[in-house]
Amino acid sequence: KQGYACYADYKPKGEKGGRANNESYYYYFYIDGQKNQNLFRRSYPFYQEWSDFQNNLDRSKCYRVIYVEAQFLFFTQRRIYQVFEQTVPSPYFK
């Protein structure tokens, strides 16, 4: 599917034992209005682009993306497959 991904938030990754690693974060994006964690498979093109995308992320913009959507019993999960540079203003930016 095609849609827009907008930056939502980031939170520290929890480690075993309840300690938080301050250098690693989960990024959250609104993908077509649904908040999702930054999950992507190693085989997806976006996996290789993630470090550059993370460094150049403009939080006030939404990015046009292709994503894969999977429906499970109680929730829907969306994973970013590929990102394009075309952007629109983010309605979620504060």
Side-chain angles (χ1 to χ4, degrees), residues 7-51:
Y7 170 82
D9 195 10
Y10 67 89
K11 296 180 181 178
K13 290 182 182 179
E15 291 184 355
K16 291 183 180 179
R19 296 174 297 166
N21 182 355
N22 293 331
E23 296 180 11
S24 298
Y25 292 91
Y26 285 121
Y27 280 76
Y28 292 86
F29 294 93
Y30 287 105
I31 301 174
D32 282 350
Q34 180 182 351
K35 191 173 181 178
N36 290 271
Q37 192 177 1
N38 64 316
L39 298 173
F40 33 83
R41 295 179 182 231
R42 293 180 186 269
S43 60
Y44 289 179
F46 187 54
Y47 181 79
Q48 287 81 22
E49 300 169 6
W50 171 246
S51 59

Side-chain angles (χ1 to χ4, degrees), residues 1 5 7 15 25-26 29-30 34-35 42-44 50 55 59 61-62 68 70 72 74-76 80 85 92:
K1 293 186 175 185
Y7 170 82
E15 291 184 355
Y25 292 91
Y26 285 121
F29 294 93
Y30 287 105
Q34 180 182 351
K35 191 173 181 178
R42 293 180 186 269
S43 60
Y44 289 179
W50 171 246
N55 292 334
R59 296 176 181 175
K61 302 285 183 181
C62 295
V68 177
F72 298 97
F74 298 109
F75 66 96
T76 301
I80 297 173
E85 288 299 321
Y92 308 105

